Amino acid sequence: MNKTPLLEINGLHASIANKEILRGLTLTIYPGEVHAIMGPNGSGKSTLANVLMGNPNYVVTAGGAKLLGQSLLELKPDERARLGLFLAFQYPVAIPGVTLVNFLRQAVSAKQGRDVPIREFRQLLDQQMNLLKVDRDFARRYVNDGFSGGEKKRAEMLQMAMLQPRMAVLDETDSGLDIDALRTVAEGVNTLMNPEMGLLLITHYQRLLNYVRPQFVHVLVGGRIVKSGGPELAEELEANGYDAYEAAAAATA
Amino acid sequence: MTSTIVQEERATRLGMRASAALGEQLADLPAVAKLRAEGAALAAALSWPDGRRERPWKYLDVTKYDLEGLTPAIGAVTRDLVEVRRSCPVTGEQAALVVAQNSEIAIVEVSEAVGLSVAAFEGATGTAAATIAKHLGSRVAPERNRFTALHYAFLRGGVLVEVAANTDVRLPVRIVRGFVSPDQFAAPHTLIVTGANSRVTVIEDFHSSDGELTVVPAIEIVPGPGAEVRYVAIHHWGEKTRVFLEQRTVTERDSAIIAAHIVAGGAVVKGHLESSLQGRGSSSELFSAAIGTDRQHSDFYTVQDHVAPDTRSDLLFKAALSGKSKAVYYGLTRVGLGAKNADANQVNRTLLLSREAKADSDPVLEILTSDVRRVSHGAAAGPVDQEQLYYLQTRAIPLKEAQALLVRAFLGQVIGRIPGEAVQDELTDVIEERMARLR
Ligand SMILES: Nc1ncnc2c1ncn2[C@@H]1O[C@H](COP(=O)(O)OP(=O)(O)OP(=O)(O)O)[C@@H](O)[C@H]1O
Ligand SMILES: [Mg+2]
């Protein structure tokens, strides 16, 4: 296995609206690894995802994050994306007036740093739409505009498939998907996954992890990782909940 | 002493004598001559619109411009047809093409002749002359204000587009007007008269040079019963051109007017657009997409007046503003006592791309009957949505490109409402070309 870490998060503190959410988060992901983060509502999971991606609403007050050895914090979101970071949003925003196909064309060209010819783009789009079993005329619709919860999540996966990132963070991509859609999306993710790539799954449910098997599971409570383990940890959490961890976190806070 | 003489001289440039001389030079039809004299007399009596008293002029003080010092577009213009063609870019296929330079009509070509006739006012004969006599001045009255009075006083380059009943003119009629002489006052007129159950699209493409110019166009639209008229004005004006435009339609039973103004140039583009829905079951849709740069001022006053029952009006005006540009919108949707079952919608949105850009928006509803189907209005102005911007950036798209994508989407939603794929493509290109200025 490659010994250089793909993603390296070190003692990260971040706040939003002067409220500290991440309080010393450390996590390292190597190429080929699948990690899962689980944690109660409001524990800072989406905050972590957005801080990694460079959402300007968050302020990093301490610590750092590197992708492929390069510090992320100075980079703009688009630069992070070009470096290979991808975030599948928990709540993707609608962009009326911009068709998914035009958006994807521009995104793919920007990611690859060249004007991808229309035929080549079409081919890639067809291939990835087949992989994710996405309807043909889906691409002609406005980005996330009037999409159902499940459609939004599939559109996020389609974007990931088109951009082919090195490191993908999937923020509750499983929520809102019916059982068939979950299987399709999971199969898609498994197909896209490769030994060079890293995956960070943020989820509340064991069921996604049955399809996309993580090697590492982390419990995030109060803006910190309070426990890490193997896949069995997810099962334990599903059975017992976060009460014990929250109590412990409250005691040390 | 000298100064009085200078003042008198200046005052007469747009005076009655100059107006009469123009009429003589153009050998006016009797109907045109009559309106010209009326306009000249009114212009001498009326003063410029006063923004303090007249609401549509609230944000534009026209007295700050030296309008009195302008010279009317009189005298023959030497023209070279090849040069005219080159200076007036013509895109796409059309049923008829009119090219005018400095209000002088240089080219009239009609390729789809069945049921369509296109004629210059100057030299019009037969049925064209009769139609002009019947309808000219019937929609945009000379007495509206000093601009309309001056319009008729110095009318030149009038074009009649006439469509026979039951004719569906497949391709658009295109009128390309270029103005190149500086310090001029030009008053082009477009009269669209259509028969029952016909359909036509008229695209008027306005261009001008970089010199100071004042253009006062009037568009009169007379749709027959059950007829649909689509009128699209592309404002490709030069950077120092000031435009004061009037467009007015009176509908007949089941007729429809769809009009769009795409603003991609000009120092001042002020448009008064009015649809009087007098025919039962008739409709009016007004659209505008404007890109403001530098100190541009675009300013629309709209009136959609529901007079008859079962009438429908819709309006979507959008502006994307950069620099110190400004967009003013004041719109009145009136539902009269007799307009039962009216359906009216009016929306104005402005995207502010710079801190110094400014929007003034005032959509007004005036409803006199309780028996309406649906009446709604809305206005909003603000910067680009930060969440959308972030989302696009997370997909590798740099900030500037993401911003452009959102502006394109914002205005594209207006273009999407204008019927005809070729027209939409053309207007998308107009927007695209102008957007380069935003960066
Ligand atoms: N704009 C904001 N202003 C103030 N607090 C905020 C803001 N945005 C988020 N927060 C708070 O930050 C905390 C962490 O939110 P975050 O979205 O990261 O939680 P999460 O772990 O993803 O939760 P969930 O499981 O519900 O998705 C929450 O308490 C939330 O209320
Ligand atoms: Mg979350």
Side-chain angles (χ1 to χ4, degrees), chain A residues 16-17 19 21 39-48 58 90-91 171-172 202 204 220:
Chain A
I16 186 161
K19 192 170 137 196
I21 309 295
N41 295 133
S43 57
K45 303 183 297 296
S46 295
T47 301
L48 170 64
Y58 297 87
Q90 183 177 2
Y91 303 111
D171 192 357
E172 299 200 22
I202 296 173
H204 286 292
L220 180 65

Side-chain angles (χ1 to χ4, degrees), chain B residues 172-176 190 192 200-206 219 221 229-236 245 247 257-263 273 285-289 414-415 417-420 422-428 430:
Chain B
V173 172
R174 184 181 299 273
I175 304 169
V176 184
T190 299
I192 305 167
V200 69
T201 299
V202 178
I203 299 174
E204 190 155 21
D205 193 358
F206 294 107
I219 300 101
I221 302 169
V229 175
R230 302 165 179 176
Y231 172 79
V232 179
I234 305 174
H235 297 271
H236 265 137
L245 174 148
Q247 173 202 307
I257 167 70
I258 301 168
H261 288 260
I262 310 303
V263 183
L273 318 176
E285 290 175 56
L286 302 180
F287 301 112
S288 177
V414 176
I415 307 302
R417 298 287 303 278
I418 301 162
V423 176
Q424 287 186 3
D425 288 348
E426 180 180 349
L427 300 182
T428 302
V430 171

Side-chain angles (χ1 to χ4, degrees), chain B residues 302-318:
Chain B
T302 65
V303 177
Q304 302 203 87
D305 192 3
H306 293 252
V307 179
D310 306 315
T311 44
R312 186 175 66 82
S313 70
D314 203 346
L315 180 146
L316 181 61
F317 274 45
K318 284 189 172 185

Side-chain angles (χ1 to χ4, degrees), chain B residues 63-386:
Chain B
T63 58
K64 72 182 174 196
Y65 308 126
D66 183 20
L67 295 169
E68 307 285 355
L70 297 169
T71 316
I74 300 183
V77 185
T78 43
R79 60 167 199 244
D80 168 354
L81 286 191
V82 178
E83 187 49 45
V84 168
R85 273 241 170 201
R86 195 176 310 138
S87 67
C88 301
V90 173
T91 35
E93 273 188 299
Q94 43 268 322
L97 173 67
V98 177
V99 179
Q101 196 179 36
N102 287 334
S103 299
E104 195 179 12
I105 297 192
I107 297 165
V108 179
E109 289 168 4
V110 181
S111 34
E112 207 177 296
V114 181
L116 170 69
S117 82
V118 177
F121 288 6
E122 289 134 39
T125 54
T127 48
T131 306
I132 293 164
K134 186 170 174 200
H135 295 288
L136 184 66
S138 67
R139 299 301 182 258
V140 175
E143 62 267 24
R144 292 201 129 205
N145 57 49
R146 189 151 192 235
F147 285 105
T148 53
L150 284 169
H151 168 85
Y152 285 102
F154 294 98
L155 192 164
R156 185 176 188 190
V159 172
L160 167 70
V161 176
E162 191 170 12
V163 180
N166 305 310
T167 305
D168 186 355
V169 185
R170 205 174 38 89
L171 294 169
V173 172
R174 184 181 299 273
I175 304 169
V176 184
R177 294 185 185 273
F179 301 86
V180 295
S181 302
D183 300 317
Q184 277 212 339
F185 179 94
H189 196 105
T190 299
L191 174 62
I192 305 167
V193 180
T194 71
N197 304 312
S198 64
R199 183 160 62 183
V200 69
T201 299
V202 178
I203 299 174
E204 190 155 21
D205 193 358
F206 294 107
H207 296 259
S208 59
S209 60
D210 289 337
E212 290 212 23
L213 272 151
T214 297
V215 185
V216 183
I219 300 101
E220 297 190 281
I221 302 169
V222 186
E228 181 177 308
V229 175
R230 302 165 179 176
Y231 172 79
V232 179
I234 305 174
H235 297 271
H236 265 137
W237 302 106
E239 299 315 308
K240 288 185 187 160
T241 301
R242 291 186 284 257
V243 180
F244 303 91
L245 174 148
E246 294 273 343
Q247 173 202 307
R248 190 163 176 272
T249 311
V250 177
T251 63
E252 295 221 31
R253 194 183 169 108
D254 296 325
S255 65
I257 167 70
I258 301 168
H261 288 260
I262 310 303
V263 183
V268 174
V269 177
K270 175 118 178 76
H272 290 188
L273 318 176
E274 183 174 332
S275 297
S276 181
L277 298 169
Q278 297 185 15
R280 183 167 192 161
S282 64
S283 68
S284 163
E285 290 175 56
L286 302 180
F287 301 112
S288 177
I291 292 181
T293 63
D294 308 305
R295 290 173 173 278
Q296 266 185 298
H297 179 112
S298 72
D299 189 325
F300 285 98
Y301 166 50
T302 65
V303 177
Q304 302 203 87
D305 192 3
H306 293 252
V307 179
D310 306 315
T311 44
R312 186 175 66 82
S313 70
D314 203 346
L315 180 146
L316 181 61
F317 274 45
K318 284 189 172 185
L321 306 177
S322 67
K324 293 183 174 171
S325 63
K326 184 167 182 173
V328 176
Y329 172 75
Y330 170 51
L332 192 62
T333 297
R334 195 186 297 132
V335 180
L337 264 175
K340 302 215 179 322
N341 215 13
D343 181 342
N345 182 43
Q346 186 187 9
V347 175
N348 173 226
R349 299 216 186 290
T350 310
L351 209 46
L352 301 170
L353 302 173
S354 80
R355 262 189 226 188
E356 289 162 309
K358 209 169 165 337
D360 276 295
S361 178
D362 192 4
V364 179
L365 291 176
E366 209 178 283
I367 302 165
L368 303 176
T369 171
S370 56
D371 194 6
V372 296
R373 186 188 304 186
R374 179 188 67 141
V375 179
S376 55
H377 70 159
V384 171
D385 186 292
Q386 293 304 305

